């Protein structure tokens, strides 16, 4: 099967091999087919029969399951970076970025734009992630669950409140009164609030 590369990007799907009701070739792009599953019919979604659609979907589901298992077996790469805060970096925020050294805290990818991941319960920054990991973090209970349990901010003992350019400083999310005393994340946010108030006094 010839999957052409265009402009150095990943291969594109071939053109559908079916014909339309009028007898003309269908020029739609063929549906993606899971890697390792035989029998790619090179048909678009409109012409793909139900039985082949089920085979395709089952193949993608199995690939996703194996991917999740591989992620669950890994640890966030930041766990191997040590807990030494870089010296001579000024404030905590600068030291926090210097410790990441341009690397995603989960996958370790370099030379990509990193974003600040924060805990919505506390409003505190957890770590710096690449856009891919930041998008997957809320939906994954394997590798990212480990990251949430011991993020870079906890490794370094640094408390940084998240800043949103549109909404300002992130605030702790309202928590039921009977859970406040036993909620460690809220306690961290409270300590940061006390520090900020003392600095402003």
């Amino acid at each position: 099967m010839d999957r052409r590369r265009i402009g150095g990007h990943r291969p594109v799907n071939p053109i559908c091999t079916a014909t339309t009701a009028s007898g003309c070739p269908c020029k739609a792009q063929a549906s993606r087919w899971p890697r390792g599953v035989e029998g790619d019919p090179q048909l678009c979604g409109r012409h793909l029969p139900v039985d082949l659609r089920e085979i395709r979907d089952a193949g993608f589901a199995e690939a996703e399951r194996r991917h999740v298992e591989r992620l669950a077996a890994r640890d966030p790469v930041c766990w191997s970076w040590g807990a030494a805060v870089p010296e001579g970096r000024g404030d905590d925020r600068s030291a926090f970025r210097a410790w990441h050294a341009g690397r995603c805290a989960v996958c370790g990818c370099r030379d990509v734009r990193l974003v600040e991941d924060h805990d919505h319960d506390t409003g505190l920054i957890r770590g710096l992630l690449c856009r891919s990991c930041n998008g997957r973090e809320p939906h994954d209970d394997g590798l990212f669950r480990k990251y949430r349990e011991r993020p870079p901010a906890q490794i370094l003992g640094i408390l940084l409140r998240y800043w949103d350019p549109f909404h300002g400083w992130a605030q702790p999310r309202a928590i039921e009164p009977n859970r406040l005393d036993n909620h460690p994340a809220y306690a961290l946010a409270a300590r940061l609030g006390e520090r900020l108030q003392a600095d402003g006094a």
Side-chain angles (χ1 to χ4, degrees), residues 16-200:
C16 177
T17 57
T19 56
T20 64
S22 61
C24 298
C26 177
K27 297 182 179 180
Q29 196 173 67
S31 177
R32 288 179 58 239
W33 196 255
R35 207 176 272 183
V37 177
E38 297 182 357
D40 185 352
Q42 297 189 23
L43 297 174
C44 66
R46 178 182 297 179
H47 291 110
L48 191 65
V50 174
D51 57 336
L52 291 180
R53 190 171 300 171
E54 291 176 350
I55 293 174
R56 179 201 63 183
D57 294 346
F60 280 128
E62 176 61 19
E64 178 63 19
R65 185 190 65 79
R66 291 197 301 266
H67 176 67
V68 170
E69 285 184 351
R70 287 195 300 270
L71 287 180
R74 293 168 47 195
D75 290 333
V77 296
C78 65
W79 286 10
S80 65
W81 294 349
V85 179
E87 297 181 357
R89 293 289 181 171
D91 58 13
D92 285 350
R93 193 173 296 269
S94 298
F96 191 66
R97 286 195 165 273
W99 183 80
H100 281 79
R103 302 166 294 182
C104 171
V106 173
C107 71
C109 187
R110 292 177 177 269
D111 300 323
V112 295
R113 182 179 177 184
L114 300 178
V115 297
E116 293 179 344
D117 166 60
H118 73 287
D119 187 328
H120 290 268
D121 281 341
T122 66
L124 299 179
I125 295 173
R126 286 187 290 222
L128 303 182
L129 303 181
C130 66
R131 287 188 175 276
S132 176
C133 287
N134 190 55
R136 284 157 42 202
E137 181 272 321
H139 312 290
D140 182 276
D141 288 328
L143 171 64
F144 290 92
R145 174 183 53 78
K146 297 179 183 179
Y147 162 78
R148 288 189 293 269
E149 291 174 350
R150 188 168 172 255
Q154 181 178 335
I155 293 173
L156 300 176
I158 290 178
L159 301 177
L160 295 171
R161 205 190 318 182
Y162 177 72
W163 167 263
D164 186 313
F166 299 102
H167 303 98
W169 294 107
Q171 300 296 328
R173 180 181 290 169
I175 301 176
E176 298 174 10
N178 62 350
R179 295 177 55 199
L180 291 181
D181 294 338
N182 298 320
H183 198 288
Y186 188 90
L188 286 173
R191 285 167 51 197
L192 177 61
E194 293 173 358
R195 180 189 297 180
L196 293 173
Q197 288 181 355
D199 291 343

